[in-house]
Structure formats: C-alpha cells, structure tokens
Amino acid sequence: MRAVVMQDRQVRLTELPEPVPGEGEVLVEVLACGICGSDLHCAQHGAEFNASIRAAHGVDVLDLDRPIVFGHEFVGQAVAYGPGTTGRVPIGGRVVSVPHLVRPDQPFLGFSGPETPGGYAERMVLSEELLLEVPDHVATEEAALTEPLAVAYHAVVRADLRPDDVPLVVGCGPIGLAIIAVLRMRGVGPIVAADFSVERRRLAESLGADLIVHPAQTSPYEVWKEAAASADGQPTAASGTSGTQLRPTVAFECVGVPGVIQQIVLGSPERSRIVVAGLCMTPDSFEPAQALVKELDLRFAFMYSPGEFARVFEHLVKGEFHIAPLITRTIGLDEVPEAFANLSSSPSDAKVLIVPGR
C-alpha cells in the first residue's frame, strides 16, 4: 500500500506492507486524515518532543530510528475483521476512533512505525471496541474533525468555564479555530479572537468569533477587557485590586511560540484563567511575580479522554458544531511532502485533509 513516512526530518511517499489486524482488530481503508500541527512539530522537533515526554512520563513516544507513519485525525471504512471480533460495524461502514490500539504496548496511532500506521496511509488497523460508527448523514470530511475538536473540547473543559465567562483566543490556527467552534457550541461569549493573518481572522469570524483583532493594530487585551465590562452596570466579578469591574475572563494560548504566555500574563485582567493549548517545543519563560500579584490561574491542556472524544462525536453527529470552514484544502498522499513544506508559513490554511484514495 502507499503511505507517507517521516524519518530524519524528511517526509516522503513510499510503499509499505499492508497491516494485518490482530486479535480484536479491524482493517480499515483510510478515507480522510487531517494534518495536525503536532505532526509538523514532530517532523522537525521529534528529539525535543521525546525529551519533554521522557522527562514528564519516563518514555519516548517516537522511535526516531525507524520510519513513522503520521496521522491521528482519521476516518476509515471497515474492510476486514481479525480474529476475536464481532463485526458490529458492517464491512463498508465508516468509523472514527481514538488513535490507540488495545494491545499490551498500547501503540499510539500516528506516532508509530509501519506495522501500526497512522492515517497517512491507504489502510490501517483499529481496535474494534474503540470504533464509533459514522452515520450516513455525517460527511466524511466533518467526521475527520472529531479528533482535533476533542483536543479543543478538552482545552475548554480545562478552563472550567462559567456561564458569564468572556474568552480570548490568541492564535487562530487549527487549534484556536477548533476552540472557537467549541466555545460557540457551548454558547459562551462574546468570543474575542486575535491573529496576525487576515485569512485566519476571517476563518475565526466564520466559525463564530464575535470580536476579531489584528494584534499589530489593536491590543487584543484591551478589546477583551472592554468585552468583559458589564453591559448592564451590574458586574458579575470584581477584578482584584485594580477596582475595575469585569466579567470573569479566560484566555486560550494557541500559538506555541516562546513569549506568548508572558504576553498573556501581562495583558490579562486580574484573576483570569489562562489555558495553554499551543505546543511549544523550545524553552520559554514568564514573569511569575506578575501572575502572582494578579492571582492568575495558569493551566495546560493536552489531548483528551476517550469519554471526551465520544462526547465530541455525539455533538458532531447531532449537528451542534459549525465546523465546515475549518477545512480549507484536501490533498492526496503524493501532495503531503509539499504540504508539510508549506503549511508552517501558509496563512490561508486551517485544516488540510489527506484523502489517500485521491
């Protein structure tokens, strides 16, 4: 089968043996798979990513001595069942799944080798017990957004949102845009969104952001504070020692570039919550004294639980997300190396989907 592999920071199209489903597993044809920012980061900073995970959990996620088949945002079509399965999803049925296999070593699909490829391949194996069947009325392209929406959903959960919170989304790349979609689905607002790219600001607006800010022209923090000022003269929360009365404020850092956390610390109203969802692969720093005197809450969000993945899929099936603008381009496997070269500097792309059969 055809597949895209990453090795030695190079992404290339090649041919691999078709994976064989083991006990309790199903072989699927990949219908669509999103390119995630973490794929781009790991291609260029795999050693740094391993070092961070090793320091936190004592393991390496990536085996950088072998080819890696990326792709953890996928939709597949059941092709064949392995031993010990029930066949509960008919052959030809479409499925999504959390990107893990139920094996003793629990391979993380999209970050493993050719034997357990991710969605940058024509076929892959999944664990039957983790499958969620995609109903006929849900488009394949939208189903492929389940995983990135689950990441955004978890970030919003980490914020402990209250009904009167005013959110600021800093950075309108794929994760920031997905967070906007989740916030809109949750009925939170007004949503303030900031990005230097005019194309991404337009995408933020189309996904439901209420106030769009060009940071080079206007301070997103001033717009955020103005949005948090009570409209009826009856504020819901006092902003600490400053005396300014504001609704509660929560910021989502979705850039992953050194210095952004400190900018948010400096610009945030007192007692704000800050959720870091951007993946920064290099050391960073901020001024703890500034966060302390403002009594800021600094939180980090990574991945999601299987339950959150299932809840996001349920919302998607019910049509409760407005997410179509997230998908800006579809490509074939042969176009992936060029897409990797261009995505880091492309202001017009949000979620690029790989369609292996294209």
Side-chain angles (χ1 to χ4, degrees):
M1 68 174 184
R2 297 189 309 152
V4 173
V5 300
M6 188 283 293
Q7 190 170 26
D8 299 326
R9 296 189 175 189
Q10 299 298 314
V11 176
R12 59 184 174 85
L13 180 64
T14 188
E15 290 191 357
L16 297 174
E18 184 172 291
V20 178
E23 185 77 18
E25 295 174 353
V26 57
L27 178 70
V28 303
E29 178 184 353
V30 180
L31 300 178
C33 180
I35 295 178
C36 179
S38 63
D39 299 339
L40 303 175
H41 284 301
C42 286
Q44 293 301 312
H45 304 284
E48 294 91 333
F49 183 68
N50 268 350
S52 296
I53 300 297
R54 189 186 313 120
H57 296 295
V59 297
D60 286 344
V61 172
L62 306 171
D63 183 352
L64 296 174
D65 293 328
R66 305 179 66 236
I68 295 169
V69 185
F70 286 145
H72 56 276
E73 307 175 355
F74 49 78
V75 179
Q77 185 174 45
V79 173
Y81 279 92
T85 52
T86 66
R88 63 180 177 85
V89 176
I91 296 298
R94 296 176 301 151
V95 295
V96 297
S97 171
V98 292
H100 292 275
L101 291 180
V102 183
R103 295 181 180 178
D105 56 345
Q106 297 185 347
F108 188 5
L109 299 175
F111 295 89
S112 301
E115 299 83 5
T116 52
Y120 288 21
E122 290 182 315
R123 286 170 290 283
M124 62 191 301
V125 294
L126 300 175
S127 292
E128 183 185 31
E129 68 180 85
L130 300 179
L131 298 183
L132 297 173
E133 188 172 7
V134 180
D136 290 342
H137 71 273
V138 177
T140 295
E141 294 77 12
E142 292 199 357
L145 298 177
T146 304
E147 202 277 347
L149 284 170
V151 173
Y153 184 90
H154 178 69
V156 172
V157 168
R158 289 282 294 142
D160 287 332
L161 284 179
R162 309 160 192 166
D164 54 351
D165 277 331
V166 177
L168 167 66
V169 178
V170 180
C172 297
I175 184 62
L177 293 170
I179 285 175
I180 290 170
V182 173
L183 291 170
R184 178 55 61 200
M185 185 271 292
R186 294 274 299 265
V188 179
I191 302 169
V192 183
D195 199 286
F196 288 100
S197 162
V198 61
E199 293 91 345
R200 288 184 170 177
R201 292 197 302 274
R202 287 171 181 161
L203 286 169
E205 185 174 22
S206 68
L207 284 161
D210 300 288
L211 299 166
I212 316 298
V213 183
H214 186 342
Q217 298 178 354
T218 306
S219 166
Y221 306 104
E222 293 305 314
V223 174
W224 186 29
K225 292 173 186 176
E226 290 173 6
S230 175
D232 59 6
Q234 298 296 323
T236 57
S239 187
T241 58
S242 68
T244 304
Q245 303 292 321
L246 301 175
R247 290 168 57 185
T249 44
V250 56
F252 295 91
E253 190 282 306
C254 305
V255 181
V257 171
V260 177
I261 293 176
Q262 171 57 24
Q263 291 174 13
I264 298 175
V265 166
L266 187 61
S268 291
E270 296 179 24
R271 297 177 184 167
S272 295
R273 280 153 287 144
I274 302 169
V275 179
V276 179
L279 181 60
C280 183
M281 290 290 199
T282 57
D284 197 3
S285 63
F286 67 95
E287 298 276 348
Q290 294 175 9
L292 185 146
V293 298
K294 288 185 173 184
E295 294 191 339
L296 302 178
D297 287 345
L298 182 59
R299 309 176 184 188
F300 294 81
F302 179 66
M303 294 293 292
Y304 44 82
S305 70
E308 288 169 334
F309 186 96
R311 283 193 290 276
V312 164
F313 183 67
E314 183 178 352
H315 287 301
L316 190 148
V317 168
K318 291 180 178 178
E320 294 173 350
F321 283 115
H322 171 59
I323 52 172
L326 258 177
I327 304 168
T328 52
R329 190 154 55 104
T330 58
I331 62 174
L333 285 171
D334 58 330
E335 300 172 89
V336 173
E338 182 181 2
F340 262 61
N342 296 334
L343 267 175
S344 59
S345 60
S346 172
S348 59
D349 275 318
K351 183 56 63 180
V352 175
L353 289 186
I354 302 166
V355 180
R358 174 168 166 165

